[in-house]
Amino acid sequence: MQKKFCSTCEDIVPLRIALAGIPNTGKTTLFNALTGLRHRVGNYPGITVEKRWGSLRLNGVQAELLDLPGSYSLDAASQEERVVCDVLTGMQNGAERPDGLVVVVDPFHLERDLYFVSQLHGIGLPMVLAINFWDEVRKKRLHIDLALLEKRFHVSAVPVSALRGEGLEALKKKMLDFSKNSSASPRSQWVKEDVMDAKRRYQGVEENLKGIVRHPPKRDPCQEMLDQIFLHPVLGPVLFLAVTLLIFQSIFTWALWPMGWIQSGVDFLGRVLSAVIPSTLLRSFLVNGILAGVGSIIVFLPQIAILFLFIGILNDTGYLARGAFLLDKLMSKVGLNGKSFLPLFSCFACAVPGIMATRTIENRKERLVTILVSPFMTCSARLPIYALVTAALIPPIAVGRVFNLQGIVFLSMYLLGIFAAMIMAWIFKRGIRSSELSHFFLELPPYRMPHWKTVFLLVRNQIKVFLKTAGSVILILSMVLWALMSFPSHVLEESIAGKVGHWMEPVLRPLGFDWKIDVGILASFAQREVFVSTLAIVHRIESTTVKSASRDENFLKLLQSHYTPLVGLSILVFYALACQCMSTLAVVRREAGSWKWPIFMFAYMSFLAYGASFFVYQGGRLLGFH
Amino acid sequence: MSIVPLTYLKPGTGGVIERLEGEAAFQKRLADLGLVPGTPILFIRRAPFGDPVEIEVRGYLLALRGNDAKKILLNV
């Protein structure tokens, strides 16, 4: 439909309208209500700020609505807020100056919202206010004299309820008026203000608001009661832990069901392809190159969908902000903030959805630090490796009466990851320069019921973003890895990958690794658990799947005869710290905006992993182990 | 009447902003959020682990760290 419109009416420029507002005013809900499912997502060129725009028809006139990031002021404190100012003054790359502006206003915080509106006045764009939550205004018997407000603030105001879809037609009518004042207002610039300017502005707003609002409601006692429960000194943390465990449970175990179906589907398709296509090279390319690549992409979808379903609900209800409030103290000790917790926690399942979830962290530097340490969290793809290596190489010696060395080593790998993340976050916090304020301001919005359409659109959006950006990179790299392992011979030892393994041997020898392990490390770059099956292939063990490998007695015996427990420990430490995952790197590129950060991440984590394994292996030998 | 940092308040008590301290950009952000001299503030609670603090200002709830909150001086 989009295409058809473009090809037939290319010469008609749609009316460009921007949507602005302070965070938590229901801006996203209004955007969704106005544009429905017809919206697109991208980035502003050169920066990592998300650009969302959609089309709508205003009584037959085609319009394009640009959803600006939530902002408190035209004096930007973050990259997102700078975009708002730059778009509205026509200075932003990748977005033309809009013809008109819709500002979403929360009627319960009129002073603060109209302060922002009074700043926007200076920009010189035709403007209309959408006074949101009008259903709540009626219910709470708040009286707002809109006619007087329009007169005093020289702006038209339309009462709407984005949630219930009320007042949208009236709003659209006002938006249509933007096309009439086509006498383009002179492009004006925003001049930075100071505290005294802000004070004067607020005094002006307070003065103008006199007599407009009557019967302002006191804070709802129900709301305060919910806060007394959720922010209770003991109950609060306990409830937060329960919520976190529920999310963990769902992405770690419940998501495994659909992931299993997807995997079986991919395997089935692979068998079908193998049956119908005789040619070995083409078949190998389709099955082991393309299908394996596609499979490793779509297998993430259940975890991403479930995680963002929860994040959407938590954000909409206002609980996400409470969680950040609870945990800020703990996270600030290592230089992160309260909002870093949930993304990092999600990384125990998989770093890909975890890193995508860092978008809830507004501060760019803290988001970057969170992203950079997230792959240290022990993800589920490491578990098959840990299971195989501990089962095969770590002796099951009893420690004390209850514990077993295998279990202790397994747990230590989790702790090693968390410890490394904390140390590195502490270092990055000091090492990365940022022009943004590092202060922590968090608005605690009122508790509200989640709006399902908004939640659903968030999930759909995240899946689309993942498929589009991470998916393509993963697919290309899968094909490259396939080529490395298939040419010039599909016997692994004689392939390029096998040769690279041999070349890598002198480098990785000090860690106790032979060329067979090196080939496994190379191959596992597609997905960590591939290490297990590759190791089986190079050891000429037939038909060992990732799942059954750690129970295959022959395979375990073979590994025991080849490698010592110290080598096993060295492998474990290496995998705990190395960023052996191209999906993660692809997602980091998307979220950090350039290849600089994923390359840095891969380099520092590999360096750390090498150093730690070297220390373990050589130190162990000095102590007389082997 | 005395002038004290916001962090000295007890939950449920309030005051009026006398002045802001700290770097200019930080002060401006506070002002954008509605915390300008003359604005009344209500101290709601501390987070369970002691930090940040939650305040009510201009009809909404805002959390900020103690380190920042102590730069807001109130007339109580």
Side-chain angles (χ1 to χ4, degrees):
Chain A
M1 211 175 81
Q2 192 79 33
K3 272 209 176 104
K4 200 170 157 196
F5 163 69
C6 290
S7 60
T8 51
C9 342
E10 215 153 3
D11 48 336
I12 298 175
V13 181
L15 192 59
R16 279 187 303 268
I17 301 169
L19 184 65
I22 283 178
N24 301 310
T25 47
K27 188 169 62 66
T28 306
T29 312
L30 183 64
F31 177 79
N32 290 337
L34 285 170
T35 60
L37 296 173
R38 298 162 305 228
H39 70 244
R40 289 188 283 167
V41 184
N43 268 16
Y44 291 95
I47 48 175
T48 53
V49 178
E50 190 174 84
K51 180 184 175 187
R52 300 205 315 141
W53 71 105
S55 57
L56 75 161
R57 291 190 83 80
L58 305 169
N59 201 14
V61 175
Q62 190 68 26
E64 195 176 81
L65 189 65
L66 176 67
D67 186 16
L68 293 172
S71 172
Y72 287 98
S73 167
L74 283 176
D75 271 340
S78 67
Q79 213 173 28
E80 277 77 9
E81 292 192 341
R82 200 159 303 127
V83 165
V84 176
C85 186
D86 288 351
V87 166
L88 295 179
T89 50
M91 309 287 279
Q92 177 63 49
N93 233 339
E96 290 204 47
R97 189 168 192 239
D99 302 310
L101 177 63
V102 176
V103 189
V104 192
V105 169
D106 184 332
F108 298 99
H109 316 136
L110 276 179
E111 282 178 14
R112 192 191 61 185
D113 287 29
L114 290 173
Y115 166 82
F116 184 46
V117 169
S118 83
Q119 288 188 336
L120 291 171
H121 251 305
I123 290 281
L125 282 177
M127 179 161 60
V128 57
L129 306 185
I131 316 282
N132 200 7
F133 304 122
W134 201 254
D135 50 328
E136 286 184 41
V137 169
R138 274 197 311 265
K139 215 169 82 189
K140 292 181 178 160
R141 296 175 195 286
L142 172 68
H143 187 270
I144 300 175
D145 189 339
L146 282 184
L148 193 58
L149 187 145
E150 286 185 321
K151 193 169 146 234
R152 294 245 186 98
F153 288 87
H154 311 288
V155 62
S156 41
V158 182
V160 301
S161 166
L163 213 68
R164 291 165 189 270
E166 291 171 13
L168 298 186
E169 287 313 311
L171 180 64
K172 283 183 184 172
K173 223 175 201 166
K174 292 278 183 197
M175 287 157 78
L176 197 55
D177 291 345
F178 293 152
S179 63
K180 290 172 194 155
N181 336 355
S182 54
S183 50
S185 49
R187 174 177 295 193
S188 58
Q189 275 180 332
W190 171 250
V191 185
K192 269 195 174 300
E193 297 192 331
D194 63 12
V195 175
M196 289 326 284
D197 297 321
K199 188 182 171 186
R200 268 193 296 277
R201 252 184 214 288
Y202 263 110
Q203 279 169 342
V205 170
E206 285 166 29
E207 197 59 40
N208 278 334
L209 270 175
K210 273 184 188 150
I212 289 181
V213 184
R214 269 175 289 150
H215 315 302
K218 286 242 176 337
R219 202 172 158 232
D220 191 344
C222 274
Q223 293 276 338
E224 178 51 33
M225 204 178 72
L226 285 173
D227 262 346
Q228 277 178 8
I229 296 169
F230 288 123
L231 300 179
H232 185 272
V234 182
L235 208 53
V238 171
L239 284 171
F240 184 82
L241 197 67
V243 171
T244 317
L245 285 179
L246 177 73
I247 299 174
F248 193 52
Q249 173 86 6
S250 60
I251 43 181
F252 205 65
T253 58
W254 299 340
L256 294 187
W257 291 67
M259 286 167 84
W261 302 333
I262 290 173
Q263 197 60 58
S264 321
V266 170
D267 290 347
F268 175 74
L269 207 60
R271 280 198 301 277
V272 171
L273 282 178
S274 304
V276 280
I277 306 170
S279 155
T280 47
L281 193 62
L282 178 68
R283 185 165 84 190
S284 164
F285 175 68
L286 285 178
V287 176
N288 301 328
I290 293 192
L291 193 63
V294 171
S296 73
I297 296 160
I298 58 175
V299 84
F300 284 121
L301 297 185
Q303 284 186 333
I304 290 177
I306 292 178
L307 179 67
F308 280 97
L309 181 70
F310 275 106
I311 287 184
I313 294 171
L314 293 183
N315 196 26
D316 254 29
T317 51
Y319 187 71
L320 200 62
R322 267 74 186 181
F325 180 65
L326 277 175
L327 284 175
D328 185 61
K329 170 93 181 207
L330 296 181
M331 302 302 286
S332 70
K333 291 219 155 110
V334 289
L336 298 171
N337 79 35
K339 293 188 175 178
S340 312
F341 181 81
L342 199 64
L344 283 180
F345 195 80
S346 314
C347 290
F348 280 122
C350 175
V352 170
I355 288 169
M356 288 170 73
T358 57
R359 290 239 163 153
T360 52
I361 306 169
E362 288 94 3
N363 186 292
R364 206 182 125 63
K365 179 174 161 183
E366 281 167 357
R367 183 194 303 166
L368 187 61
V369 174
T370 310
I371 289 174
L372 285 177
V373 302
S374 49
F376 284 123
M377 302 291 135
T378 301
C379 65
S380 46
R382 284 181 174 106
L383 296 182
I385 302 173
Y386 288 5
L388 175 76
V389 174
T390 39
L393 301 177
I394 305 297
I397 305 166
V399 179
R401 277 164 186 274
V402 202
F403 301 107
N404 173 308
L405 189 61
Q406 288 184 336
I408 291 175
V409 166
F410 210 109
L411 179 68
S412 307
M413 291 304 119
Y414 267 89
L415 297 179
L416 176 66
I418 296 170
F419 182 69
M422 278 163 46
I423 299 280
M424 292 315 294
W426 191 86
I427 293 171
F428 289 143
K429 178 77 179 177
R430 276 148 194 81
I432 297 174
R433 281 157 174 264
S434 166
S435 57
E436 279 178 33
L437 288 179
S438 64
H439 303 278
F440 178 76
F441 297 108
L442 177 73
E443 192 185 337
L444 300 173
Y447 293 99
R448 286 199 170 94
M449 288 303 285
H451 183 230
W452 293 109
K453 196 172 162 196
T454 308
V455 173
F456 162 73
L457 284 173
L458 174 80
V459 171
R460 199 193 67 149
N461 240 351
Q462 291 306 100
I463 286 178
K464 256 167 78 176
V465 161
F466 172 73
L467 287 180
K468 208 166 106 189
T469 52
S472 53
V473 174
I474 295 168
L475 189 61
I476 291 167
L477 280 173
S478 297
M479 291 194 279
V480 170
L481 275 175
W482 170 82
L484 289 180
M485 290 166 78
S486 310
F487 292 103
S489 157
H490 65 273
V491 177
L492 195 50
E493 288 147 83
E494 292 155 23
S495 69
I496 300 175
K499 292 204 180 93
V500 172
H502 277 291
W503 295 336
M504 282 160 70
E505 199 171 48
V507 183
L508 295 180
R509 188 80 255 178
L511 315 186
F513 301 170
D514 64 4
W515 73 271
K516 292 175 175 175
I517 296 178
D518 300 348
V519 172
I521 288 175
L522 190 68
S524 70
F525 195 54
Q527 265 179 298
R528 283 191 180 90
E529 66 259 38
V530 171
F531 177 76
V532 172
S533 50
T534 311
L535 208 57
I537 296 170
V538 281
H539 281 284
R540 296 180 186 282
I541 295 275
E542 287 297 321
S543 74
T544 292
T545 65
V546 172
K547 255 185 194 159
S548 63
S550 53
R551 273 172 272 138
D552 184 334
E553 283 299 321
N554 290 333
F555 190 28
L556 295 187
K557 284 213 178 90
L558 191 77
L559 289 178
Q560 273 158 18
S561 67
H562 267 79
Y563 309 113
T564 63
L566 192 59
V567 174
L569 196 61
S570 178
I571 295 175
L572 289 174
V573 168
F574 185 85
Y575 269 99
L577 299 177
C579 188
Q580 280 297 117
C581 176
M582 67 182 172
S583 317
T584 301
L585 295 174
V587 168
V588 171
R589 197 218 80 87
R590 149 94 197 170
E591 296 300 317
S594 77
W595 277 110
K596 184 176 88 175
W597 290 111
I599 289 170
F600 171 72
M601 178 190 241
F602 179 71
Y604 98 82
M605 290 183 69
S606 302
F607 183 74
L608 203 65
Y610 187 93
S613 286
F614 183 89
F615 179 77
V616 165
Y617 186 69
Q618 298 299 337
R621 275 164 53 109
L622 282 179
L623 290 175
F625 298 98
H626 50 264
Chain B
M1 293 287 260
S2 60
I3 292 170
V4 296
L6 196 155
T7 40
Y8 279 33
L9 294 190
K10 289 200 166 56
T13 64
V16 174
I17 297 181
E18 173 67 25
R19 62 172 191 274
L20 306 173
E21 289 180 342
E23 47 188 315
F26 166 71
Q27 288 192 25
K28 180 64 201 325
R29 177 84 330 198
L30 283 178
D32 284 334
L33 291 166
L35 294 102
V36 295
T39 311
I41 278 181
L42 187 64
F43 189 99
I44 306 283
R45 63 165 63 78
R46 287 175 185 285
F49 300 115
D51 202 40
V53 298
E54 180 189 344
I55 59 170
E56 187 181 330
V57 57
R58 295 187 191 271
Y60 77 101
L61 300 173
L62 181 71
L64 57 172
R65 287 183 183 155
N67 252 342
D68 295 331
K70 72 177 184 211
K71 292 172 188 156
I72 302 168
L73 298 173
L74 301 180
N75 218 325
V76 293

